[in-house]
Structures are given as structure tokens and as C-alpha cells.
Amino acid sequence: MNVTELKKIEAALNDTGMADCTALQHDTIVAVARQHALNLGDRKYITWLDNGKTESDSYSFAALDRQARSLAVQLQALVHSRQHNHGQADYPAALILTQPGLEFVKAFFACLYAGIVAVPTYPLKRGETSQRLSVLVENSRASMVLADSKSYAQIAQFPDVCMQAPLVRLDDLSPDLHENWKFPDIDSQSPAFYQYTSGSTGQSKGVIVTHGNLMSNERVIAEAMGHDSDTVVVGWLPLFHDMGLIGNLLQPFCLGASCYLMSPLAFIANPVRWLQAISKYRATSSGGPNFAYDLCIARTTAEQRAELDLSHWQVAFNGSEPIRAATLDRFSQTFAGCGFNRSAFFPCYGMAESTLLVTGSSPYQLPAVLTVDKRELELGKVQPLATIHSTATQTGNAEIEVSAPQTVQLVSSGKTYQDCQVRIVHPETCVALPAQHVGEIWVRGSSVANGYKDNDHLTDRTFKARLAEADQSDTYLRTGDLGFLYKGELFVTGRHKDLIIINGRNHYPQDLEQTVIQAHPALADCRVAAFGIDVDTQERLVVVASIGKKIANNIPVQEIRDSVAEVITRRHGLKLQALVFTTSRLPETSSGKLQRSRCRQMYQNGEFETRRL
């Protein structure tokens, strides 16, 4: 095909709005950005919604390109000066610490344009010390800390951090130097950003995500979700985390599509704002974890729902681990009158170590829900009793089987795409397991990251796993998650480190926690953690529930004790070692995941403010 023919095809694609999906074939995000700046120009890319409602700042593709190039010129100069004086590593890094908004977007793209590794992190919390920032700067070897005005004032109070890396206020950088910019010396193997994740004990690990990893996963997401340049994204997920950054911000950018974003705090304060934005902007793709859908059910009124139009919502992704069938069911039923189609639900599975998406459902199809024998699942085997591509309230010609106490419903997280491979492996012997057996989920493919920043031991253990009696040149990412394959689809059952093993049976803490919450109305809004402890060489069950201080003195202690003990025994065949109420908040990662191992430590150390039942 000659150049003239290629230009004709590109012109035809431009007429249909599809041309810039070809940008997904680039090796770096910067190459994508330059193509969009030239081809899409003033087409609006991103709009920020203050309080989740009011349009404030926005960027077209060309405007963001100019801003990023201008800032990149100045960041490169700062890095060059610091490398000259302090002898920094080949890949300089910059910590990005801003309030939610387009200042983060500008800083992130400026780092990419400068060939600097971006290090996103969440804003400082009230009363927080400098310890977290100091560790991040040291581990990432950041050459500078980029901050907006509010964050700048906060960080300036930490002289130890400022001595480690110069503090740069984004407002002080000139917006008019874009013509001095030169394309950085980067390729697909160059790190684009370090995604820091909190482990179960709070120890941060910086995942090294290359431009090649990033572009590979953006292609996977586009294929799995059926996205194109006509996709409209609405989101509230934090931009310093993989799902918000790669899914809500960079996916529409790579496609030449539009997105409307808001602060997570705006969503938490009033969940209907998310749905109102989806309705107003006719969003086709948006999502979040289970709790987001549950909040919308609990905290929207009939009057608010009557004004929503969710009929354009084609991909409602849910990346919780695991995904609850009841959540999909209740949301579909609650918002059916708003035009929401349950086939929009897109259960998926992913993690920072694989850039983001690993598996996803088939778009525009009802999620698969598998009913299995609970006792067999506890033994690590899967005995399907019913497979339905819907949920319990789905109407139509399918007769739905409702789970009995000895069964459990599991939602499929879908299949792999492109070159991604998933194996189910025995976590101790490293032997690959057949379908319908529960084991650790291992992953390989071009989206899998290179490892953890400056942590060779953990990188070797996590990213370079090898199957027993197999080609030892093939390495896998050990996810630490448990699951099984059934008819080519992945079902996630829980975290290996959180598994509670009593009398030879596997008990998943999220199932126990759900049972406790449902055992008594007073527990309905509590955050609950279930974990095992050793008592006389035997593992025993402990449950901790976080309650508000206002209701702490009004809890019907004996009544709840009897209800929880009875239902735990009846449904799970277990006896509680301890049931504890605390007015303390249960520890979570920065992405909101419960840290059960830390809860266990706090319980054993007596760190909870408690009322023992």
C-alpha cells in the first residue's frame, strides 16, 4: 500500500471519527499525544466537574499538548541541573502530589513529555506526617516533587522531604515554552510511571510500568470493552491509582475520545452526582468497585432516579475482587426504570502489576453467574450446579435457580484478550491445575510490568515465577489471588494470604464478612474484617466490626452476639473465637481495599478501641 492510498484511508476514517484509534499502535503515550495534537486539534478531550456537577477546567488535545510541552522543557532543565550536581540515575522521576483536578493531568503528561518517570500519589491527609512522602521519594529516587498551590503549602512544612527532592509549584512554571520542546529519548521499554501499591501491611511497592506495558494494556481495554473514538467516559476514581489513571484518563486519551471526571470526594459525598453526569453527558463507559454501585442504591431517592437517563451506558465495569452477584442484581433492578440495561455490566479483573486489565467479560452480554457447591469449593474444587447469564431478578425465558445456604454464586471476571495468558497454579508446588480447581492466578503477557522499583527480591518472587516441570524460560506474574477457570472464563474467589483454613476447609473472608453484616440490622452499615488467628496450634475465626461512635453505646450486645454466632455456625459450620466492635476505622489501602493482615496485627496487639461481644 503506497502513501497516497494510506492517506485516503486515513481521510475516510477521519470522516467517521475513527482515525485516531490507530494511535493505539504507537509505542509510547507521547507519540499518541503528538498524533492527537496534530489530527484532533481543538477537539475537547477532558472536562473537570467541580463538586461532581459544574464544568470548570477543560483541555482540548492541542491545549494539553502545548501545556505539557511547555512544562516538560522546564522539568528537563531542572532534572539536568540535579543530575549534574547529584549524579542521578538514567531514568529521572518526579513525585506528583496534587489535589484532584486537571493540575494532576497537566503534571502527569508533562513528565511523559520530558522523559521523566511520573510517580502519582494521593494528597496529604489531615495530620499526616512526612514519612510516606519521604519513603516514596527515596524509593523512586525522585528528582523533584510537583505540587499545586495547596499541596505545595502542605509539603513545604516538611523540610526533610524538601531536602530530599526540590519542591516545584506547578503555578510557577511558564505555559509559553512549548516551541522549545524536543521529543524525549524514550521507547517502548522506557518506564512511563511507577504505580505504588500498598501491601497488606502497608508497605508500598512501586510497580515499574513501561510505555510498552501501558500501550499494550490500552489496546486490551479497548478491545475488551468495545471502546472507540466515540466512547464517552465519566469517572470519579482517583487518578493516582491504576483504574482511574489508565481506565478513566488514559483510555479515552489514547482513543481520541472524551471524558468527564470528578473528585472521588464529590462522589462519596453524593453518589447521585456520578449517575447524573452519566445521564447528562450520555456516557457510554463508566464504573467502579462493588461499593460504588451499592452506594448508588442506598443513597439515591426515587425522585432523583426518575430524572436519570442511563440508556446510553454500554460498559458498567466492576473490578472488585471478587464481584458480588447480589450487587449486580440489586443495581440492575433499582435502575431499570432509568434505562439501565443489565447487559452493560462488565465484570473484570486486573491489578497494577499487570498495568491494569487482565480479564474482562464479553461486551454487551449478560454477566455469567455460576452457582457452585459451597462444601466442594472449601476443598478447592468446583462443582457447578447452575450457570446463568443473569442474576436472580432477571426476567425472560430463563428459569433462575436461587442459591441455597450450601451453595455460593460466583461472578465470572471474563476471558483474556490479545497475548495475555492466565494459568491456575498450586501456590506451594507451582504445578498447573486443571479447570474447575481453585489455585493461585498466574498471568503473563506484554501488559505485565517489569517488576518493583529497587526491590529485586520481591520482583524475582512475584514477576519471575515458573511452573514446575515446564519450560523454565516462561515466567509468570504471581498475583496472590485465588480463582479457577470454567469454560475459558476466570472466576476470582479471594486473596491467598487472606484465606482462613479451619479443619482442612478453605473459608473466604469476604463471604464470612457478608454473613456477619446480614446477621443483624445494626451491622448493616459496618465495615467488617474476618481473619484467622492461631490458638493452641489451631486456626480460629475472629471478626472485627467498625462502628460509629454515636451508636457505640446503643448496640444490643447479647442480641447481636446470638445472631452472629448462630448464622456463622449454620452457614459456615464455624465457631467464633471472638467478635469485636471498634470505634476505630479499619485499615485500608489507599485504593480502599481492606487490609485484613493489618487488622489481625492490630487485634493481636490490642490496638483497636473495642467493645468485646
Side-chain angles (χ1 to χ4, degrees):
M1 183 181 295
N2 60 39
V3 174
T4 301
E5 290 173 330
L6 191 61
K7 288 184 177 180
K8 287 181 179 179
I9 292 174
E10 185 175 1
L13 288 171
N14 269 324
D15 290 339
T16 65
M18 292 293 293
D20 284 278
C21 287
T22 61
L24 285 171
Q25 303 309 313
H26 284 300
D27 289 337
T28 70
I29 265 295
V30 181
V32 174
R34 293 299 292 145
Q35 176 175 328
H36 287 337
L38 295 172
N39 291 357
L40 301 180
D42 292 332
R43 182 187 296 183
K44 185 178 289 187
Y45 155 52
I46 184 171
T47 302
W48 190 260
L49 304 177
D50 277 347
N51 298 318
K53 303 170 58 175
T54 307
E55 293 187 16
S56 56
D57 298 334
S58 66
Y59 277 129
S60 67
F61 289 94
L64 179 56
D65 172 73
R66 286 192 296 272
Q67 282 281 319
R69 282 189 286 148
S70 292
L71 297 188
V73 169
Q74 297 163 87
L75 297 185
Q76 286 173 327
L78 290 170
V79 165
H80 178 75
S81 172
R82 185 163 177 80
Q83 284 180 326
H84 178 74
N85 293 325
H86 299 279
Q88 295 291 301
D90 291 340
Y91 292 111
L95 191 68
I96 301 175
L97 199 150
T98 69
Q99 305 303 306
L102 295 195
E103 287 291 285
F104 173 91
V105 179
K106 180 173 66 175
F108 184 83
F109 275 91
C111 286
L112 299 184
Y113 272 64
I116 294 172
V117 184
V119 186
T121 189
Y122 55 90
L124 286 166
K125 299 177 181 178
R126 181 179 299 178
E128 185 177 0
T129 68
S130 63
Q131 181 179 4
R132 172 174 64 91
L133 296 185
S134 182
V135 169
L136 287 177
V137 169
E138 180 179 1
N139 183 256
S140 67
R141 302 184 187 180
S143 299
M144 66 192 78
V145 178
L146 305 179
D148 58 8
S149 296
K150 182 176 180 179
S151 298
Y152 182 95
Q154 293 173 324
I155 306 169
Q157 301 177 39
F158 300 143
D160 54 331
V161 174
C162 298
M163 289 180 64
Q164 287 178 283
L167 182 56
V168 178
R169 182 161 46 197
L170 293 167
D171 292 346
D172 293 341
L173 300 179
S174 171
D176 300 318
L177 298 176
H178 53 277
E179 292 184 357
N180 297 334
W181 177 80
K182 294 181 180 179
F183 202 100
D185 184 19
I186 58 174
D187 57 26
S188 64
Q189 298 303 309
S190 303
F193 62 97
Y194 301 145
Q195 180 67 71
Y196 277 85
T197 65
S198 296
S200 60
T201 60
Q203 180 183 5
S204 292
K205 306 182 295 292
V207 180
I208 304 171
V209 180
T210 67
H211 281 270
N213 297 146
L214 183 55
M215 293 308 304
S216 171
N217 209 244
E218 296 295 355
R219 290 190 286 269
V220 167
I221 295 170
E223 179 185 346
M225 297 188 180
H227 287 166
D228 58 28
S229 59
D230 292 326
T231 295
V232 179
V233 172
V234 162
W236 55 268
L237 295 163
L239 298 182
F240 51 80
H241 267 294
D242 49 7
M243 193 180 294
L245 176 62
I246 297 162
N248 284 350
L249 183 69
L250 296 182
Q251 172 71 180
F253 181 82
C254 288
L255 295 169
S258 299
C259 61
Y260 299 84
L261 305 182
M262 66 184 72
S263 166
L265 299 178
F267 165 70
I268 296 297
N270 197 348
V272 76
R273 292 170 181 166
W274 176 37
L275 303 181
Q276 289 169 339
I278 291 172
S279 177
K280 177 179 179 179
Y281 297 106
R282 301 164 71 93
T284 60
S285 185
S286 189
N290 272 327
F291 85 83
Y293 296 100
D294 289 333
L295 274 182
C296 290
I297 296 165
R299 293 174 53 190
T300 57
T301 65
E303 292 76 16
Q304 290 172 330
R305 293 193 289 269
E307 298 179 352
L308 296 175
D309 177 7
L310 305 180
S311 61
H312 298 90
W313 197 355
Q314 298 173 0
V315 179
F317 59 84
N318 184 333
S320 298
E321 303 167 9
I323 298 154
R324 293 197 175 278
T327 296
L328 308 187
D329 178 52
R330 292 169 57 235
F331 189 90
S332 298
Q333 184 179 34
T334 303
F335 293 96
C338 307
F340 181 80
N341 190 325
R342 70 182 66 242
S343 65
F345 268 125
F346 184 90
C348 51
Y349 168 72
M351 57 188 355
E353 284 83 351
S354 61
T355 303
L356 181 59
L357 192 70
V358 173
T359 63
S361 307
S362 298
Y364 322 126
Q365 294 185 13
L366 292 168
V369 180
L370 186 65
T371 302
V372 302
D373 185 288
K374 185 175 181 295
R375 289 292 183 179
E376 289 295 310
L377 187 65
E378 290 171 358
L379 295 173
K381 300 177 182 179
V382 179
Q383 182 179 328
L385 302 177
T387 306
I388 54 178
H389 287 270
S390 57
T391 50
T393 58
Q394 169 69 15
T395 58
N397 56 15
E399 183 175 342
I400 304 307
E401 178 178 340
V402 179
S403 289
Q406 39 289 72
T407 67
V408 61
Q409 285 189 326
L410 302 172
V411 179
S412 167
S413 293
K415 60 183 181 180
T416 59
Y417 291 84
Q418 299 196 19
D419 71 339
C420 182
Q421 299 176 30
V422 165
R423 302 293 296 269
I424 303 300
V425 181
H426 192 289
E428 277 79 41
T429 66
C430 296
V431 172
L433 298 174
Q436 297 180 217
H437 283 70
V438 177
E440 186 179 10
I441 302 168
W442 287 21
V443 179
R444 67 192 306 256
S446 54
S447 290
V448 173
N450 284 3
Y452 296 117
K453 175 65 175 171
D454 285 352
N455 196 329
D456 293 341
H457 173 70
L458 196 56
T459 293
D460 289 343
R461 191 174 70 184
T462 305
F463 288 86
K464 298 179 181 180
R466 291 177 170 84
L467 293 170
E469 300 179 0
D471 184 350
Q472 295 300 295
S473 65
D474 292 338
T475 59
Y476 290 82
L477 164 69
R478 297 189 65 158
T479 68
D481 290 319
L482 297 174
F484 62 90
L485 292 172
Y486 180 71
K487 294 186 177 180
E489 297 197 14
L490 177 66
F491 290 78
V492 181
T493 57
R495 292 286 293 170
H496 182 240
K497 64 187 176 185
D498 291 337
L499 196 64
I500 301 169
I501 305 174
I502 297 178
N503 297 328
R505 292 188 177 273
N506 299 333
H507 297 274
Y508 295 95
Q510 65 272 10
D511 295 334
L512 295 165
E513 290 156 5
Q514 192 68 14
T515 294
V516 171
I517 289 171
Q518 295 172 347
H520 193 280
L523 302 177
D525 296 324
C526 291
R527 187 76 154 125
V528 175
F531 49 86
I533 63 168
D534 289 330
V535 178
D536 297 329
T537 72
Q538 298 291 322
E539 187 153 1
R540 304 298 185 192
L541 175 64
V542 173
V543 174
V544 176
S546 177
I547 60 174
K549 293 182 179 180
K550 292 182 179 179
I551 67 170
N553 295 321
N554 299 315
I555 292 293
V557 174
Q558 190 60 44
E559 181 180 314
I560 295 178
R561 174 190 172 88
D562 293 343
S563 296
V564 172
E566 186 274 332
V567 76
I568 285 288
T569 299
R570 175 165 49 85
R571 293 188 183 178
H572 302 278
L574 296 176
K575 181 180 179 180
L576 278 175
Q577 175 71 21
L579 176 58
V580 174
F581 275 178
T582 178
T583 53
S584 305
R585 182 173 179 175
L586 299 188
E588 300 175 341
T589 68
S590 55
S591 59
K593 294 181 180 179
L594 188 62
Q595 293 181 309
R596 296 185 181 92
S597 296
R598 177 61 183 143
C599 287
R600 180 189 298 109
Q601 287 182 346
M602 292 179 68
Y603 169 77
Q604 293 176 324
N605 295 339
E607 297 177 33
F608 285 121
E609 293 182 20
T610 64
R611 291 190 64 205
R612 192 178 298 269
L613 298 183

